[in-house]
Amino acid sequence: MDSEDRPITPSHGLPETHSSPEEDKSVLQIWGKSSLKGHVTISGAKNSALVVMAGALLCPQDCRLRNVPSLADVSRMGEILASLGVKLTRQGDVLDINASYIGQSTAPYELVSQLRASFFVIGPVLARLGVARVPLPGGCAIGARPVDLHVRGLQAMGADVHIEHGTVNAYVRGPSRRLKGAKIYLDYPSVGATETLMMAATLADGETILENAAQEPEVIDLANFCRAMGAKIQGAGTKTIVISGVPSLHSADYAIIPDRVEAATFLVAGAITQSEISLSPVIPDHLTAAIAKLRAIGALITPESPNCLRIAPGHGLTATDIETLPYPGFPTDMQAQFMALLTVSEGDSIVTETVFENRLRHVAELNRMGADIRVKGNHAVIRGVPTLSGAPVVATDLRASAALVVAALAAEGKTTIQGLHHLDRGYENLDTKLQKLGVKLQRLQGDSTTEVETAPLTPIAPN
Ligand code: EPU
């Protein structure tokens, strides 16, 4: 085996994960008032990669995934698949998955509790084996995040589902142990429930219709991957998805879409520093809401090519209102970063979070940096201030950590961000990518003052 060609275990292949946040003592220091310049390469989409990895469980043959980002969450999903008996090998951004043998129908609590997306394995494991036991993932920093829609959908497809001792036990009775196609209306267009039920339906007996389905690009990506394996799926990306079950799927070679949230985070970084940068690969259609809001705030965004965007300063930054909604509405995963931008945009903005009940925890940290934000219920009222000031801050969740990074870029002086295990879950090589754009930053490991990376003195030219 090539030295680069390693099976995924907790200590090989993908980057190691912090086993507990308490162990994560590293901090990121960022010196603000940077002007960014150059080009940034956008990685594969985290939320596509995670669910497509789960989707590979549907296939009894080799599957090759390309453009898989190197992230702590991807590592954790790899550990969960490995715990079920699946073989994984990674080389660069190519991940080979062989789920010909699934020796376990039970996912381990220690892993599922660390990564909510791992609950999504319930759909493909149940479809393949007729039985699946997956612990309830529990709440997380941004909300309670129940899985009732996943469970009700699987029940509609004929599964017996019981929740006992914190674990969801799902069985399909009958000699074939096959789920049955059903017409399912989702009370809310949940991304995860749509994905779980779409995967389960690919191998079900008959036709499944998902009404009020999520329309996110990651749902389409999963559908395209399943289709590459021979699944019959129509309507992904609309509110109605129709899946005709097939007896089995076959091997596929599939490239994950670019990460729209990472792209939006860099666009915000360009806007807040009044810089000119370009990014690719991106799918501009996936960024429609973010681009509309950036233009309303005052940034100039132009397509350089079908998969490359350039952002440049307009005439200052102006307040605007934002409400998060399911796609194609404004994404909750971009709310915190945009709020950071609005803190230095002239006038009063209102940000309303409607998707998760507890996703405004970055407000207190942004206020520590001199922002003027008041929260009432799920609304945040942001009064633009002329400038932020660097401060020690703590990241409370993944996108909150990105908001603090973005705020730090525009702040006077040094910002020290703790809680980097959140950042490392979802942003591949963020430190290096920012450094290449000319940002001065360094990561200090643990209690020591070991300098892990230092800033280049001159930014690279755009390419
Ligand atoms: N919900 C229920 N019952 C369910 C499922 C969801 O009430 O059975 C509720 C949730 O509690 C939440 C809302 O519905 O209030 C939306 O949840 P959804 O199921 O759509 O989200 P998810 O599938 O758990 C994915 C992403 C999130 C992203 C949301 C919304 C993955 C792995 N995660 O989560 O990504 O915010 O969709 O777009 O795909 C992130 O990347 O930072 C992140 C949190």
Side-chain angles (χ1 to χ4, degrees):
M1 187 184 284
D2 186 284
S3 62
E4 291 257 50
D5 196 18
R6 304 180 185 118
I8 293 182
T9 68
S11 56
H12 293 292
L14 296 169
E16 286 193 32
T17 55
H18 293 286
S19 53
S20 77
E22 293 72 38
E23 287 174 27
D24 174 22
K25 298 247 177 8
S26 54
V27 297
L28 185 62
Q29 296 182 326
I30 298 180
W31 283 265
K33 288 288 169 202
S34 320
S35 184
L36 314 190
K37 196 173 175 195
H39 178 86
V40 62
T41 301
I42 301 302
S43 301
K46 169 183 79 88
N47 289 342
S48 274
L50 294 175
V51 72
V52 165
M53 286 170 76
L57 287 165
L58 292 164
C59 178
Q61 299 172 358
D62 286 318
C63 283
R64 171 158 286 189
L65 305 181
R66 299 175 192 271
N67 203 28
V68 177
S70 181
L71 297 170
D73 273 8
V74 169
S75 277
R76 286 204 178 101
M77 186 58 112
E79 288 169 29
I80 285 169
L81 297 190
S83 76
L84 298 174
V86 173
K87 293 197 172 61
L88 302 101
T89 324
R90 178 163 185 140
Q91 192 165 20
D93 68 355
V94 176
L95 180 62
D96 288 324
I97 302 182
N98 182 303
S100 53
Y101 172 73
I102 303 179
Q104 267 288 345
S105 56
T106 307
Y109 174 70
E110 304 72 51
L111 296 177
V112 177
S113 61
Q114 289 178 44
L115 176 64
R116 189 192 144 80
S118 60
F119 183 79
F120 305 172
V121 302
I122 195 166
V125 171
L126 186 62
R128 271 286 295 281
L129 305 181
V131 54
R133 295 185 194 87
V134 185
L136 286 165
C140 71
I142 59 176
R145 305 184 80 178
V147 290
D148 53 316
L149 299 173
H150 304 238
V151 167
R152 284 211 299 273
L154 294 173
Q155 285 170 328
M157 295 173 76
D160 282 342
V161 187
H162 304 285
I163 301 176
E164 279 170 358
H165 308 295
T167 294
V168 180
N169 300 282
Y171 305 89
V172 189
R173 295 192 194 279
S176 74
R177 310 209 77 180
R178 264 183 100 184
L179 289 161
K180 289 191 177 42
K183 183 159 184 170
I184 300 167
Y185 170 79
L186 293 171
D187 285 343
Y188 183 88
S190 153
V191 174
T194 302
E195 292 170 342
T196 291
L197 300 175
M198 189 163 72
M199 289 187 279
T202 58
L203 295 178
D205 187 11
E207 184 179 84
T208 299
I209 302 174
L210 298 179
E211 294 283 11
N212 199 28
Q215 301 174 74
E216 269 69 3
E218 295 75 21
V219 171
I220 304 176
D221 212 24
L222 174 65
N224 286 339
F225 170 59
C226 290
R227 279 210 291 254
M229 295 189 295
K232 293 197 174 139
I233 302 175
Q234 286 181 324
T238 73
K239 284 177 177 296
T240 305
I241 304 178
V242 181
I243 307 115
S244 300
V246 295
S248 66
L249 299 178
H250 55 71
S251 104
D253 186 328
Y254 190 78
I256 303 291
I257 55 170
D259 196 310
R260 63 193 170 107
V261 186
E262 188 198 8
T265 304
F266 276 104
L267 288 173
V268 170
I272 202 169
T273 56
Q274 298 276 295
S275 303
E276 184 164 347
I277 59 171
S278 61
L279 25 148
S280 72
V282 292
I283 301 177
D285 279 354
H286 294 174
L287 290 159
T288 302
I291 291 171
K293 287 299 168 187
L294 283 165
R295 286 186 174 142
I297 292 168
L300 299 178
I301 299 177
T302 44
E304 284 221 319
S305 71
N307 73 351
C308 181
L309 288 175
R310 175 169 293 274
I311 181 162
H315 299 289
L317 302 171
T318 315
T320 197
D321 294 342
I322 291 178
E323 180 174 347
T324 65
L325 288 167
Y327 192 87
F330 188 91
T332 175
D333 292 346
M334 300 177 193
Q335 176 259 108
Q337 303 90 312
F338 272 75
M339 191 183 295
L341 175 59
L342 293 173
T343 63
V344 290
S345 300
E346 197 180 336
D348 290 352
S349 306
I350 299 177
V351 169
T352 305
E353 172 60 51
T354 74
V355 178
F356 290 107
E357 64 274 24
N358 192 21
R359 214 175 196 185
L360 293 172
R361 290 172 67 200
H362 41 279
V363 166
E365 299 304 303
L366 290 172
N367 281 346
R368 297 196 80 243
M369 298 178 71
D372 179 352
I373 313 173
R374 279 161 299 145
V375 173
K376 187 130 197 185
N378 64 338
H379 304 287
V381 180
I382 302 127
R383 182 155 294 171
V385 294
T387 191
L388 299 173
S389 62
V393 287
V394 181
T396 48
D397 68 71
L398 166 56
R399 306 306 172 186
S401 66
L404 296 176
V405 169
V406 164
L409 298 178
E412 301 269 6
K414 183 177 79 176
T415 299
T416 304
I417 304 173
Q418 288 178 53
L420 299 184
H421 58 281
H422 291 297
L423 196 62
D424 296 339
R425 287 184 45 206
Y427 288 89
E428 185 180 51
N429 299 330
L430 184 69
D431 307 11
T432 316
K433 289 183 183 185
L434 286 171
Q435 284 181 317
K436 283 189 179 161
L437 293 173
V439 175
K440 186 171 177 238
L441 60 82
Q442 67 181 5
R443 195 180 274 237
L444 303 179
Q445 286 301 16
D447 295 326
S448 76
T449 50
T450 315
E451 209 169 279
V452 177
E453 286 168 325
T454 47
L457 293 175
T458 44
I460 60 157
N463 56 18

